[in-house]
Amino acid sequence: MSQKKRLAKGGRINRGKAIKVMFDGRSYQGFEGDTLASILLANDVSLVGRSFKYHRPRGVFSAGVEEPNAMVHLREAGRHEPNVRATLAEAYDGLISSPQNAWPSLKADIGALNQVLAPFFSAGFYYKTFMGPGSGTRFWMMCEHFIRKAAGMGRAGDQEDPDHYEKINVHCDILIIGAGAAGLAAALAAGRSGLSVLLVEQDRELGGGLLDRPAGEDSDSWLQETVDQVRAMETVKILTRTTAFGAYDGDVYGLVERVWDHAAEAPEYQVRQRYWQVRTKQAILATGLIERPLVFGGNDKPGVMLSGAVRSYLNRYGVLPGQHVIVSTTNNSAYDTASELAAAGARVILCDVRKAVPVKLSERVAASGVQLMTGHAVLEAKGFGKVTSALITPVDETGRATGLAEQIPCDLIAVSAGFAPVLHLWSQRAGKPDYDSEKGCFVPKADSIPSMTCVGGMIGNGSIKTSVTDGFKAGLAAAEACGAGIEGEAPDISFAGTDWTEMSSQIWSITKENGKASGKAFIDLQHDVTRSDIDLAHREGFVSVEHLKRYTTTGMATDQGKLSNLSALARMAELRSLAIPEVGTTTFRPPYTPISIGSVVGHDYGSHFRATRYSPIHDWHPENGAEMIEAGAWMRPWYYGASGKNLRDAYISEADHVRHHVGMVDVSTLGKIAVQGPDAAEFLNRVYVNGWKTLQPGRIRYGVMLREDGFVLDDGTTARLGEHDYFMTTTTSNAAKVLAFMEHLLQTAWQDLKVHVTSVTDQWAAIAVAGPQSRTLLQAAVTGADLSADSLPNNHLVSAEIDGIPVRIHRMSYSGELAYEVYTPSGYGYALWSQLTDVGKAYNLRPYGTEAMGALRIEKGHVAGPELDGRTTLKDLALGGFASSKKPFVGSVLKNREKLEDPARPSLVGLEFSGENRALSGALLYSQGAQTEGHGEGHVTSTTYSPALGKNIALALLAGGADRLGDTVQVVDFVGDTRCTATVVSTHFFDPEGDRQNA
Amino acid sequence: MIRINCPVCGLRDETEFTYGGDANVKRPAMDEKDPKVWMDYVFNRSNPRGDHQEYWHHTQGCRQWVILERNTLDHTVGQCRLAKEVK
């Protein structure tokens, strides 16, 4: 029969709108307003999943975020989502879900054999079996695949998620988290101030615990009135279906809004989820409570549920989950559940561990026809696959049986062992909570963070009237703290709740007379950690809660111990004869509940993951057959297809062409910094190792910079454009670092220097024109400048025009050929490149890419990124000659540290290979005949085929390299497992005298 | 995330800044030749538990180096000044 456990009336569901959902291949009927869990319960589906380790049958245990058992796969294909708590999955027509961690099927799960093997799967099983001496990791690696398949949660999706997610940043004055009675009262007060208020509720409806009370009571009319008032306030924004998962420094909060999770698909142009980053002045936390389960034998069987959850299904969803119900409690809260179940037609036995209970409550349940058994509790849940009976026993004040247990048939056991305040967000910021030994729960320390106020159930408050009053006061106080104080009286509510804190017992577990559980008693349902696992960990010497947690894995499942942490602590406290606060508590970290990766990523993936930088000439390159390559954030032409059929052919051809004709490469990505001011020369003199005071306007100089610790930071050239105007270039990758360092020096240490440094990288396009024909070509292209060797010697610059485009021509060479760098404002970059291409046709001009540029500089022995790796000194790179001895500069003292002067340090050498031999960057170097073990005597930094020499060459850092010219070394690449030998040579492979660039 | 009150730009997220270390160290004079003094400047830090004066660089804003008071224990932040105005 369809929905056989649905009551004929009642609940907050929309009975006018029937829907159908699929679970495990079968269709079930429900109503709009249901969750997947409430539909399954309404249709008497008790078996929903298999447990993590033992594959025990499990059913719905709760009605909220704390659900440990009813985890399902939701949706299919790209929208497939694992580990969805059925208690949170809002049902919609056509919902498709399936069980997880069961094979071949939920009912006949082979993994359930693990139950038989349970003695072997105790705490620390994996460590003991697979790690350490004896078995070792090799055995683990063999078994891992099978174990991971058997033990586990849901299966992750393997298709791209078709949905959109987005991020939003907001500022507000007052953030209120939780829209139960306390949160609503706070919003009511704060909203009157006219400040911007954000009210966040994880449920689809406002009301919190009020929604679990019977529909139509006084509390409903108060709720409706209050919600209407809050909604009418223009400055209050309400976010439902939104979880505040993290509280961070600076009063920043992370929220995830499930915008369209309650539908199969989001409508077009809508996002499935939205990540909110909220910056607030004041926060009011009204996050409520989570009920604690009672721990006894068989407490994980389908049919055992939290008492508050049973009440929620009854009153909110109109589902009566059992006809023969045993309620087992330690506090007053379950009296509501018991009497309301009885009123709905169930036969109810209420076991209370306490011998004395408040008279008004005992009278109330008696009047509803509930059989009350004080001083009693459920010792064990019995039944195969689901609960069919319970052993009920009289208990003493520690929860031990004091007499014979009686077996009573039942189909539902509702349990309560008090409540745990949801202090996660508070603790994320404030740290360790206080322990309230009267109520048996951790509570936030009062006034620990001035901008965060906790109210309602989460401070251990059991009275709804107090929650409303406190919430309202917190709203007024938050407004006052924001400088908009207002007056107001808290609403007077006409209804009351049952105060769970009044006379509550501290019993959390029910045992036999010998202090042992009767059967398997679970503390962590999701990770299958039993009471005896905690005992075992204690016997093996575990004392710290943090160790206990990791050894037994209690509290480490996706629910992060929302139901289990306190029980585990309580057991450890008993074993160590300590009070619970002396045992300690674990640390709460974000997120409060699992959040999807999609929500965190938003649109920042693929090409949107980070900004891509393009040269102003960029478009020309792909249009003309360039293969592009990422260089940091930049896209640069790697090589041009017209040059050869693959990378190697192309770059060799391009480099060779430059040596014989003329080539052109886009160097706009070079870091460029304007250094300006009357003290600019002094400044350069301090940051570069070489002298700058004599550089005349119109001249260019190469310079090297060190870090404060004496290692090489960067190299580049600086041109003096005018008296107080210098133009510095840095390597592409170090531009940001150099600028930040220079700003630091000027703003913190050298405040007296009148110098400004400004990044102008994006303001200038730059083209290097290199090769024997470069002068002829440029002279043909420019007007207004004489480029002859006499007028423009090396390291000089001149301003001119090319086809009306203003350019500045720096004569300088990186390739070792006669060469120029042509600078123009970025907007002219593309036009200039095109113009040079046109003019260049007559001179056999060809573009070349970064790979050929690298080949040319290696032939000249110039250092670049792979050599400037932050671990090399001037001496290591044979740049020591540049350092001035006449002046101090950054790093000038520390570069002389003893260890950095050691001649055995790896220093820069050239390597030549014979025949087809070559090396990859990173290959290690060993002396001829030495064992090829360990870190070697150095490594290869840059490699290329040299068209000029007709052989493979490389730059390398080799221990004592300067004295080893002519030696043969072994070159070993352990990654590709290739070995060869090479001859150590000078780094000046080609044209060592530099005649060509000075031509 | 801490939020930093940049004297130029106003209250901004930490993610706009780059951390720059202890602001109590004083760079030695250019003509200082004693390596020990330089070693102290470059490497030795007191790593206090509690209030700390530290450099932050507003890299994604005004490019100014600021000196921020931050408590290393609880991340509360205090005064924030422009480094160039602190002698």
Side-chain angles (χ1 to χ4, degrees):
Chain A
M1 179 187 136
S2 178
Q3 303 204 59
K4 73 177 202 184
K5 293 202 165 178
R6 183 84 70 180
L7 295 169
K9 58 186 173 63
R12 299 169 197 278
I13 44 173
N14 178 5
R15 290 175 191 261
K17 185 149 184 233
I19 56 175
K20 278 190 173 154
V21 302
M22 293 285 289
F23 175 71
D24 200 13
R26 290 190 58 187
S27 176
Y28 298 99
Q29 213 182 62
F31 296 109
E32 189 181 72
D34 264 321
T35 62
L36 177 57
S38 67
I39 290 183
L40 293 176
L41 285 171
N43 287 281
D44 201 17
V45 178
S46 56
L47 176 61
V48 181
R50 290 276 173 175
S51 74
F52 179 67
K53 204 156 72 175
Y54 303 127
H55 290 247
R56 285 167 71 97
R58 294 284 167 84
V60 174
F61 191 76
S62 76
V65 296
E66 68 272 32
E67 178 59 37
N69 289 343
M71 315 267 287
V72 298
H73 287 146
L74 190 61
R75 304 190 185 90
E76 293 184 307
R79 293 189 171 88
H80 167 95
E81 197 181 332
N83 304 330
V84 173
R85 288 149 291 171
T87 51
L88 296 187
E90 286 183 45
Y92 51 85
D93 197 35
L95 178 147
I96 295 175
S97 62
S98 58
Q100 53 192 38
N101 199 28
W103 185 84
S105 74
L106 186 57
K107 289 225 163 65
D109 175 46
I110 280 182
L113 280 173
N114 285 359
Q115 286 186 70
V116 183
L117 302 172
F120 303 103
F121 285 112
S122 56
F125 160 73
Y126 295 103
Y127 298 109
K128 288 169 189 161
T129 311
F130 297 109
M131 311 284 174
S135 48
T137 50
R138 198 176 289 272
F139 182 49
W140 162 251
M141 287 165 80
M142 188 179 84
C143 303
E144 185 183 5
H145 172 73
F146 301 100
I147 289 171
R148 290 220 185 273
K149 192 173 151 84
M153 314 290 292
R155 172 178 49 79
D158 54 6
Q159 292 179 36
E160 192 174 339
D161 186 341
D163 289 323
H164 289 281
Y165 299 79
E166 72 179 9
K167 300 186 200 177
I168 188 167
N169 284 283
V170 291
H171 295 258
C172 65
D173 294 312
I174 301 168
L175 171 68
I176 302 168
I177 299 170
L184 283 170
L188 205 54
R192 288 183 192 163
S193 67
L195 295 164
S196 68
V197 177
L198 191 59
L199 176 63
V200 176
E201 170 55 49
Q202 64 188 0
D203 202 282
R204 68 178 183 278
E205 278 177 84
L206 305 181
L210 296 178
L211 297 172
D212 294 339
R213 297 165 68 104
E217 282 193 354
D218 282 359
S219 58
D220 266 8
S221 42
W222 182 82
L223 175 61
Q224 194 54 52
E225 271 168 40
T226 310
V227 168
D228 287 347
Q229 283 183 58
V230 172
R231 285 200 190 280
M233 294 170 163
E234 280 180 12
T235 57
V236 179
K237 180 168 176 60
I238 300 171
L239 290 176
T240 53
R241 299 187 168 108
T242 304
T243 301
F245 64 82
Y248 304 92
D249 298 315
D251 299 310
V252 177
Y253 292 79
L255 325 176
V256 168
E257 181 186 7
R258 293 169 295 278
V259 189
W260 280 103
D261 269 2
H262 57 288
E265 288 179 24
E268 212 173 2
Y269 308 119
Q270 297 276 316
V271 295
R272 175 170 288 284
Q273 294 183 0
R274 185 177 292 128
Y275 174 99
W276 292 71
Q277 202 169 60
V278 180
R279 293 151 191 82
T280 188
K281 291 186 183 130
Q282 291 283 317
I284 297 170
L285 306 192
T287 47
L289 303 144
I290 288 177
E291 192 161 31
R292 287 178 61 187
L294 199 57
V295 177
F296 52 82
N299 63 335
D300 66 321
K301 288 182 203 261
V304 179
M305 289 173 76
L306 290 172
S307 157
V310 171
R311 192 178 183 213
S312 180
Y313 289 114
L314 177 65
N315 293 328
R316 190 169 178 189
Y317 300 100
V319 175
L320 185 61
Q323 284 292 336
H324 302 278
V325 189
I326 295 172
V327 182
S328 190
T329 188
T330 65
N331 64 85
N332 297 347
S333 71
Y335 285 71
D336 289 331
T337 311
S339 51
E340 285 160 13
L341 282 169
R347 204 201 67 199
V348 183
I349 299 172
L350 172 57
C351 301
D352 191 326
V353 294
R354 298 174 294 182
K355 294 201 167 57
V357 299
V359 178
K360 61 179 189 290
L361 291 179
S362 53
E363 283 174 353
R364 188 173 136 215
V365 290
S368 339
V370 173
Q371 182 189 346
L372 176 62
M373 297 172 76
T374 54
H376 279 73
V378 170
L379 175 66
E380 188 181 349
K382 294 270 193 190
F384 188 76
K386 62 178 177 182
V387 168
T388 50
S389 67
L391 291 182
I392 292 180
T393 177
V395 290
D396 65 12
E397 61 282 355
T398 65
R400 280 189 193 210
T402 53
L404 277 180
E406 184 187 358
Q407 185 158 4
I408 300 178
C410 63
D411 58 359
L412 177 67
I413 301 175
V415 297
S416 178
F419 290 81
V422 178
L423 38 79
H424 299 63
L425 293 173
W426 174 85
S427 176
Q428 286 170 18
R429 284 208 53 198
K432 301 283 181 198
D434 281 338
Y435 188 75
D436 184 329
S437 52
E438 291 281 304
K439 297 167 185 166
C441 61
F442 284 100
V443 291
K445 282 186 176 34
D447 303 324
S448 44
I449 296 176
S451 55
M452 188 186 254
T453 311
C454 301
V455 292
M458 75 162 295
I459 57 170
N461 177 18
S463 149
I464 200 156
K465 199 172 177 63
T466 313
S467 288
V468 168
T469 313
D470 287 358
F472 193 84
K473 279 187 195 154
L476 295 181
E480 176 83 39
C482 292
I486 41 158
E487 309 250 309
E489 284 292 314
D492 194 19
I493 57 168
S494 60
F495 58 95
T498 308
D499 185 345
W500 70 272
T501 64
E502 183 195 358
M503 293 170 65
S504 74
S505 156
Q506 306 271 325
I507 290 172
W508 62 277
S509 177
I510 308 300
T511 58
K512 296 185 286 190
E513 281 167 304
N514 63 6
K516 292 199 166 138
S518 178
K520 255 187 182 319
F522 285 85
I523 280 183
D524 187 327
L525 290 165
Q526 193 172 120
H527 255 173
D528 270 355
V529 179
T530 62
R531 193 185 141 106
S532 59
D533 285 329
I534 309 283
D535 294 7
L536 178 64
H538 174 254
R539 282 201 302 280
E540 294 181 357
F542 285 86
V543 171
S544 149
V545 270
E546 296 288 356
H547 291 160
L548 173 74
K549 172 176 159 174
R550 281 154 186 82
Y551 190 60
T552 60
T553 75
T554 186
M556 289 175 68
T558 65
D559 62 354
Q560 289 287 290
K562 287 188 176 62
L563 296 176
S564 61
N565 277 350
L566 264 171
S567 302
L569 285 178
R571 183 59 188 153
M572 196 46 138
E574 282 173 6
L575 291 165
R576 294 180 61 201
S577 303
L578 296 172
I580 287 179
E582 292 174 299
V583 179
T585 178
T586 54
T587 312
F588 294 97
R589 294 191 183 86
Y592 166 57
T593 49
I595 55 173
S596 70
I597 299 290
S599 68
V600 180
V601 171
H603 284 119
D604 301 336
Y605 64 97
S607 58
H608 297 285
F609 181 65
R610 63 170 185 188
T612 305
R613 300 182 79 180
Y614 296 102
S615 138
I617 305 166
H618 174 84
D619 289 351
W620 191 93
H621 307 307
E623 280 165 17
N624 289 274
E627 279 296 321
M628 304 300 289
I629 187 169
E630 284 181 35
W634 291 97
M635 293 304 294
R636 301 194 69 179
W638 193 10
Y639 63 93
Y640 294 85
S643 307
K645 61 184 185 296
N646 57 34
L647 168 68
R648 188 173 164 83
D649 287 355
Y651 87 75
I652 291 170
S653 160
E654 287 171 9
D656 190 54
H657 188 84
V658 171
R659 294 257 180 257
H660 293 96
H661 306 279
V662 59
M664 178 164 84
V665 60
D666 181 358
V667 292
S668 304
T669 61
L670 277 178
K672 308 174 204 83
I673 299 167
V675 182
Q676 293 162 319
D679 293 322
E682 170 63 23
F683 174 68
L684 293 173
N685 218 38
R686 293 183 187 184
V687 297
Y688 278 126
V689 304
N690 42 337
W692 287 80
K693 294 236 166 144
T694 57
L695 187 74
Q696 297 301 309
R699 302 286 292 267
I700 301 163
R701 185 166 286 172
Y702 172 78
V704 184
M705 289 179 198
L706 304 187
R707 299 191 308 228
E708 295 280 17
D709 62 2
F711 287 88
V712 175
L713 169 61
D714 197 45
D715 72 341
T717 62
T718 292
R720 188 172 185 186
L721 304 180
E723 195 189 350
H724 296 161
D725 190 5
Y726 291 80
F727 182 86
M728 174 186 284
T729 65
T730 71
T731 56
T732 299
S733 56
N734 282 333
K737 208 190 297 178
V738 169
L739 180 69
F741 182 45
M742 297 200 303
E743 286 168 334
H744 187 260
L745 289 169
L746 286 169
Q747 292 174 32
T748 69
W750 304 336
Q751 294 161 342
D752 53 327
L753 288 191
K754 293 193 178 69
V755 181
H756 246 292
V757 289
T758 314
S759 170
V760 291
T761 300
D762 292 331
Q763 278 66 32
W764 294 93
I767 301 165
V769 183
Q773 294 299 312
S774 58
R775 179 186 290 137
T776 324
L777 184 162
L778 282 176
Q779 190 67 71
V782 303
T783 49
D786 176 5
L787 302 185
S788 67
D790 291 341
S791 296
L792 191 67
N794 209 7
N795 293 324
H796 284 60
L797 65 92
V798 66
S799 292
E801 281 192 0
I802 293 178
D803 191 30
I805 299 169
V807 296
R808 210 174 58 229
I809 299 174
H810 294 202
R811 181 171 168 195
M812 47 189 285
S813 179
Y814 189 53
S815 57
E817 294 302 315
L818 173 66
Y820 302 84
E821 280 177 6
V822 185
Y823 290 88
T824 191
S826 301
Y828 292 112
Y830 189 96
L832 175 64
W833 180 278
S834 305
Q835 178 63 14
L836 287 174
T837 304
D838 285 350
V839 177
K841 279 180 188 141
Y843 303 90
N844 198 8
L845 172 74
R846 275 172 54 185
Y848 64 100
T850 55
E851 195 72 18
M853 192 173 77
L856 294 165
R857 71 101 186 162
I858 295 168
E859 286 181 336
K860 289 297 292 177
H862 290 319
V863 294
E867 289 78 33
L868 306 176
D869 66 356
R871 296 177 296 178
T872 47
T873 65
L874 283 174
K875 271 201 176 143
D876 297 343
L877 301 175
L879 297 171
F882 280 99
S884 167
S885 57
K886 299 193 187 80
K887 56 138 195 180
F889 50 85
V890 171
S892 59
V893 175
L894 291 188
K895 83 175 173 53
N896 298 327
R897 280 180 282 164
E898 199 181 338
K899 281 283 180 190
L900 302 186
E901 295 277 316
D902 185 351
R905 278 180 64 83
S907 60
L908 192 69
V909 295
L911 296 179
E912 276 187 6
F913 299 84
S914 60
E916 294 298 302
N917 284 342
R918 56 178 170 151
L920 290 174
S921 295
L924 299 186
L925 304 176
Y926 298 88
S927 300
Q928 185 79 310
Q931 286 285 320
T932 54
E933 288 172 354
H935 294 285
E937 296 158 43
H939 71 279
V940 174
T941 54
S942 303
T943 70
T944 189
Y945 174 80
S946 164
L949 276 64
K951 58 177 84 168
N952 289 313
I953 60 170
L955 293 175
L957 291 162
L958 176 63
D963 301 326
R964 295 176 70 172
L965 296 190
D967 281 9
T968 301
V969 290
Q970 303 180 73
V971 182
V972 185
D973 172 22
F974 287 102
V975 179
D977 199 22
T978 61
R979 293 154 187 267
C980 62
T981 57
T983 308
V984 180
V985 298
S986 158
T987 56
H988 304 295
F989 293 97
F990 181 70
D991 186 27
E993 280 73 40
D995 294 338
R996 299 174 70 90
Q997 68 195 48
N998 291 318
Chain B
M1 165 156 56
I2 65 172
R3 302 179 70 208
I4 297 173
N5 196 11
C6 174
V8 179
C9 309
L11 193 61
R12 296 303 179 97
D13 286 353
E14 164 195 342
T15 49
E16 292 183 10
F17 294 79
T18 310
Y19 182 67
D22 191 347
N24 292 307
V25 291
K26 196 100 190 128
R27 194 175 192 280
M30 278 310 288
D31 56 3
E32 177 61 59
K33 291 192 175 64
D34 183 354
K36 197 187 163 305
V37 175
W38 284 102
M39 292 292 276
D40 279 346
Y41 169 63
V42 174
F43 297 110
N44 291 335
R45 298 291 182 268
S46 54
N47 191 22
R49 182 179 187 275
D51 288 332
H52 192 220
Q53 303 252 336
E54 55 202 19
Y55 285 124
W56 288 78
H57 189 200
H58 202 184
T59 37
Q60 310 215 18
C62 59
R63 302 288 307 180
Q64 294 300 301
W65 284 88
V66 296
I67 297 175
L68 177 73
E69 286 172 3
R70 181 181 65 98
N71 188 302
T72 59
L73 212 56
D74 62 14
H75 268 201
T76 49
V77 296
Q79 204 186 4
C80 181
R81 296 166 295 166
L82 283 178
K84 67 181 178 188
E85 288 174 359
V86 178
K87 298 294 168 196

